[in-house]
Amino acid sequence: MTFRPFVLWSFVAACLVFVAAVLTLDYLLESTFLVQATSRSVDIVHLIRGLVLVLGIIFWAHLFLIGEKRRTEREFKKLSRAIQFTGSSVIMTDRQGKIEYVNPKFTEMTGYEPFEVLGANPRILQSGKTPPATYRTLWETIVAGKDWHGEFLNRRKDGTLIWQSASISPVSLDRGKITHFVGVFEDISVKKQMEQMKDELVSRVSHDLRTPLGIIRWSIEDLKDDLQGRINSEQAEVIDGIRKNCERLEKVVGEVLDLTRLEAGKGKIRRVAINVADFLRERVKDMGPWADRNGLSLEADLPGEIPTLFADPEMMFRLVNNLIDNALRFARSRIVLEAKVVEGGVRIGVIDDGPGVAVGDREKIFGKFEQVFRKGGVNHSKGAGLGLAISREIVEKHGGRIWVEETPGGGAGFFFVMPLRQEPGHRGSDAPQRDAFVGGGGYEGFEEESSRH
Amino acid sequence: MKVSKKRVLVIDDEPEILKLVRKRLEGNGFDCTVADNPVEGLRQVVKVRPQLILLDLMLPGMSGFGFLRLVKGNPEMASIPVIVLTALGDAEVAREAMDLGAVGYLTKSCSPQELVDLVAEYA
């Protein structure tokens, strides 16, 4: 806490007023009216002194509070002046998420004039295309006093969409308490367009690669199975090398296509009741032989009862297999699958006893084409490095979240939480504060605003 | 025509794939007819009366789905089992094909043996 001279001088001022008032009163009372002091007159003097003291305290508190308010206002003004002409769109909200300030760039970017949005919630910008989980993490991060960075697909006043990168920070204008939130937004539509073009290109090329790759592999199988005459062992070895790399290419292509399909929203979720324990035991049975082949043990740790999960079985299958596949490459001796009921859903973990993931890579590792260097990785079944990006896409599609942390033994624990109930993007009405940047797809704010003029 | 052999009709627009699949199936004792487009495919269905159809979903002129609808909509052909072969490893596409009456599906990343096994199961 910083020392603030205002507290001191206002207090000194109040004391001086008090002393001066008492002295004046005493002088007046004693010299003019009450020459002979009686017990009654002393009582009156005490009473008046008491009154003056109370008035003094009130006077001081008043001075203090006004000063405080002015100070916060002054800080707010200073801050808004500083951001008025930045090249980015800026929104400042109060703690509840009510907009208190927007800069001219905001108007330019979104089409909303300040008078249209002041007092409203930034929700009016939502296009409904950003997953609710994003808003949830955002809110959790900023109320915890940390900065949040991310991307939104927002909607302008005229209804057109705009991709924005956002950086939202809590601001304290009053003794360390969070008083405001400041969001700085950049228009990244062009960048997104380029990304989309790149994705489309990659997806098209991948798609076109599939058939020829299939043909190559089948031709290799023909050779291997001696359909084209007998081959000797050296030739067989060469052919095997070709086959392995062909399979690797097919895996890369498959991953790229899977991810683009998921991202394009084509992979619709088909929610089916899944018995988590049975599901994980089955994974152990299926993938066990793979682990065996690599000299690893794969087991399930399932204490207690786990409620039924409603999720897409094929996506869940791919998700857990991806995580196991990943663990197989790094584990030293053991991989454990676990499931646990936690707040907000069921947490499923795939834990290995490998070298773990460096702190700085724990977010990056879920990115697309991100090559995160991890010590001790085994090269078998290497794909495009998209397995974890696909996993994240699947989890987020289900309204859950995925992360990696260090396990007590130093290995990596990949965890994801799947919500128990299906979330239709509903905002909790019991938590008004959450409205700040939270809430799925609600256009209510937008409608409210447009009916105002 | 050898009566004892099961007849399989393969419809795919990739000549290479037709060649490879035909070799595999013939090597495993099937009688294989090929067609590189759905119209030719329909002609062959009438002509050779296959016991099973292997159908690529991405075809020129008419999609595999269109072909599937035609076959399943014709009482004389509806009983022929159809296995869908697709480059799209998309579960949804496969489900759609199954809804239309296909008995199974294979992606083009399957192994030759998986194909032979599935064909043997339904032919």
Side-chain angles (χ1 to χ4, degrees):
Chain A
M1 207 172 119
T2 51
F3 170 73
R4 291 200 279 130
F6 174 75
V7 181
L8 192 68
W9 72 249
S10 67
F11 185 71
V12 171
C15 287
L16 284 176
V17 169
F18 171 69
V19 172
V22 169
L23 287 177
T24 315
L25 264 169
D26 277 6
Y27 175 73
L28 283 176
L29 288 170
E30 279 170 25
S31 63
T32 341
F33 307 106
L34 305 161
V35 184
Q36 285 100 30
T38 62
S39 68
R40 211 173 148 217
S41 65
V42 170
D43 277 353
I44 291 172
V45 169
H46 283 163
L47 183 72
I48 292 172
R49 275 183 188 162
L51 273 174
V52 169
L53 178 66
V54 170
L55 283 174
I57 289 173
I58 292 172
F59 173 64
W60 173 69
H62 190 64
L63 256 185
F64 178 73
L65 286 178
I66 286 181
E68 275 293 285
K69 203 167 162 231
R70 278 222 191 108
R71 216 180 64 84
T72 313
E73 271 167 15
R74 237 184 4 249
E75 293 290 318
F76 186 83
K77 261 197 197 129
K78 247 193 269 174
L79 192 60
S80 46
R81 253 205 308 278
I83 55 188
Q84 190 170 6
F85 297 114
T86 54
S88 320
S89 156
V90 180
I91 301 177
M92 277 175 79
T93 75
D94 67 7
R95 246 196 87 84
Q96 272 66 44
K98 233 167 51 191
I99 298 177
E100 290 199 348
Y101 173 83
V102 292
N103 71 345
K105 191 76 189 177
F106 169 87
T107 305
E108 193 186 309
M109 217 181 262
T110 64
Y112 286 105
E113 296 291 337
F115 75 90
E116 295 175 276
V117 292
L118 291 183
N121 187 291
R123 213 171 45 225
I124 55 167
L125 297 168
Q126 282 181 14
S127 63
K129 294 192 196 295
T130 308
T134 307
Y135 295 109
R136 206 164 37 234
T137 5
L138 152 62
W139 184 254
E140 280 164 12
T141 310
I142 58 176
V143 291
K146 281 179 261 170
D147 287 3
W148 183 89
H149 306 280
E151 290 174 355
F152 292 121
L153 181 53
N154 276 337
R155 192 183 293 274
R156 290 194 188 90
K157 191 183 168 187
D158 63 7
T160 54
L161 297 175
I162 177 173
W163 268 106
Q164 292 183 314
S165 78
S167 177
I168 297 164
S169 322
V171 173
S172 164
L173 300 180
D174 178 23
R175 276 175 289 175
K177 271 192 307 197
I178 296 173
T179 52
H180 295 81
F181 295 111
V182 176
V184 181
F185 300 83
E186 310 277 351
D187 183 351
I188 51 163
S189 295
V190 174
K191 187 184 136 211
K192 278 282 162 185
Q193 235 165 9
M194 307 271 282
E195 261 175 34
Q196 220 165 6
M197 276 165 68
K198 182 203 75 194
D199 285 352
E200 257 163 48
L201 182 73
V202 170
S203 156
R204 276 192 84 97
V205 170
S206 306
H207 195 265
D208 289 349
L209 280 175
R210 262 203 158 173
T211 303
L213 277 173
I215 293 170
I216 294 171
R217 195 167 41 81
W218 274 52
S219 305
I220 297 166
E221 299 272 349
D222 272 12
L223 286 174
K224 212 182 78 195
D225 295 350
D226 294 340
L227 292 191
Q228 316 281 355
R230 281 202 65 76
I231 52 165
N232 62 37
S233 63
E234 281 89 4
Q235 288 166 333
E237 210 172 296
V238 174
I239 288 170
D240 202 46
I242 302 174
R243 184 186 57 81
K244 265 192 201 141
N245 282 284
C246 187
E247 275 173 6
R248 190 170 147 188
L249 263 178
E250 280 189 306
K251 193 168 175 185
V252 171
V253 167
E255 282 185 359
V256 171
L257 287 175
D258 279 349
L259 185 64
T260 40
R261 209 163 22 230
L262 277 168
E263 281 183 335
K266 277 184 194 149
K268 269 185 237 137
I269 297 184
R270 191 172 54 106
R271 286 193 193 258
V272 168
I274 293 176
N275 179 325
V276 177
D278 285 353
F279 173 78
L280 291 181
R281 278 190 209 106
E282 231 163 85
R283 299 278 63 70
V284 169
K285 219 167 86 190
D286 277 5
M287 303 286 277
W290 275 99
D292 275 351
R293 214 170 301 170
N294 292 288
L296 303 166
S297 80
L298 175 65
E299 56 209 75
D301 179 19
L302 304 160
E305 202 151 305
I306 301 141
T308 306
L309 202 62
F310 286 87
D312 188 301
E314 275 152 41
M315 288 193 190
M316 276 288 283
F317 179 86
R318 199 148 27 140
L319 164 63
V320 175
N321 274 16
N322 275 349
L323 295 180
I324 296 175
D325 200 45
N326 186 63
L328 280 172
R329 279 163 51 194
F330 294 97
R332 290 202 180 95
S333 63
R334 183 163 182 254
I335 299 164
V336 180
L337 308 188
E338 60 154 54
K340 217 172 137 185
V341 182
V342 293
E343 202 195 313
V346 174
R347 191 188 76 181
I348 295 172
V350 177
I351 299 151
D352 67 56
D353 59 353
V357 182
V359 180
D361 291 335
R362 285 183 194 168
E363 181 60 33
K364 234 169 42 185
I365 203 165
F366 293 102
K368 263 193 284 181
F369 306 110
E370 285 282 4
Q371 288 300 323
V372 171
F373 178 74
R374 287 179 68 190
K375 274 187 293 181
V378 186
N379 236 0
H380 79 85
S381 75
K382 200 175 168 191
L386 288 176
L388 291 174
I390 292 170
S391 304
R392 179 166 74 178
E393 200 66 37
I394 291 173
V395 172
E396 286 181 357
K397 256 190 175 332
H398 282 81
R401 67 189 193 95
I402 184 167
W403 72 97
V404 59
E405 59 186 55
E406 197 177 281
T407 57
F414 284 83
F415 296 95
F416 63 88
V417 170
M418 286 285 195
L420 272 176
R421 280 173 306 152
Q422 195 172 337
E423 279 195 3
H426 177 70
R427 212 175 34 258
S429 53
D430 51 328
Q433 273 202 352
R434 294 189 142 246
D435 278 8
F437 291 90
V438 198
Y443 295 128
E444 344 153 25
F446 182 76
E447 282 156 12
E448 265 168 35
E449 279 315 293
S450 43
S451 61
R452 207 199 268 174
H453 50 273
Chain B
M1 199 170 87
K2 286 172 202 161
V3 196
S4 59
K5 282 189 180 175
K6 300 257 176 149
R7 293 179 304 278
V8 178
L9 170 64
V10 187
I11 308 173
D12 198 309
D13 61 325
E14 283 285 337
E16 293 282 339
I17 289 181
L18 288 179
K19 212 168 82 189
L20 287 162
V21 172
R22 179 206 280 265
K23 190 179 291 156
R24 276 287 157 176
L25 290 179
E26 286 181 347
N28 282 279
F30 293 96
D31 189 9
C32 196
T33 311
V34 299
D36 65 0
N37 66 72
V39 179
E40 174 63 17
L42 279 175
R43 205 171 292 142
Q44 293 296 338
V45 174
V46 177
K47 201 170 134 197
V48 304
R49 298 262 138 212
Q51 266 105 7
L52 183 126
I53 301 171
L54 254 181
L55 171 70
D56 182 15
L57 280 178
M58 304 276 278
L59 291 170
M62 182 200 301
S63 82
F65 287 113
F67 177 87
L68 195 55
R69 274 198 197 92
L70 277 181
V71 169
K72 290 296 161 188
N74 182 329
E76 280 182 50
M77 303 176 183
S79 61
I80 305 171
V82 178
I83 292 174
V84 170
L85 188 64
T86 173
L88 308 161
D90 193 340
E92 232 174 296
V93 173
R95 268 204 297 270
E96 216 174 306
M98 306 282 267
D99 286 346
L100 285 174
V103 291
Y105 82 96
L106 283 164
T107 65
K108 282 183 179 169
S109 56
C110 77
S111 74
Q113 197 51 49
E114 281 173 294
L115 176 96
V116 170
D117 289 348
L118 199 66
V119 168
E121 194 182 329
Y122 288 103

